Amino acid sequence: HLSLRRQRQMCIRDRADERMTMLVVTHEMGFAREVAHRVIFMDEGRIVEEAPSAEFFRAPQHARSREFLAHML
């Protein structure tokens, strides 16, 4: 049986494949890298960085973004 987390990820991925617009809040950066077109990174309730997904994961501009990704990926 698939875990609930995996089922949710599959559902979101299916919707993304259908080009459905979604707002997804997650700490699962590997999953976000796979499905997101754009990333808005927040820290303490404030937007720290906003960028296309590929750009954000390749070269985050803000120190807090880099620190978070270093721990999560």
Side-chain angles (χ1 to χ4, degrees):
H1 296 287
L2 294 175
S3 70
L4 184 57
R5 174 197 284 176
R6 185 74 181 130
Q7 289 176 30
R8 281 192 305 260
Q9 288 178 342
M10 288 173 60
C11 181
I12 292 168
R13 188 174 281 112
D14 288 346
R15 300 298 82 77
D17 289 345
E18 295 169 0
R19 310 284 298 160
M20 179 180 282
T21 300
M22 295 176 282
L23 172 67
V24 178
V25 178
T26 185
H27 286 99
E28 296 181 38
M29 295 293 99
F31 178 68
R33 181 189 288 187
E34 290 177 27
V35 298
H37 291 102
R38 184 153 202 82
V39 172
I40 297 173
F41 179 77
M42 297 181 71
D43 186 40
E44 296 185 0
R46 295 190 179 126
I47 295 175
V48 173
E49 187 167 346
E50 182 177 352
S53 179
E55 182 180 314
F56 176 80
F57 287 103
R58 181 181 64 253
Q61 299 300 301
H62 194 277
R64 181 65 183 108
S65 304
R66 290 190 296 272
E67 177 186 346
F68 182 80
L69 289 173
H71 286 92
M72 298 304 287
L73 291 176

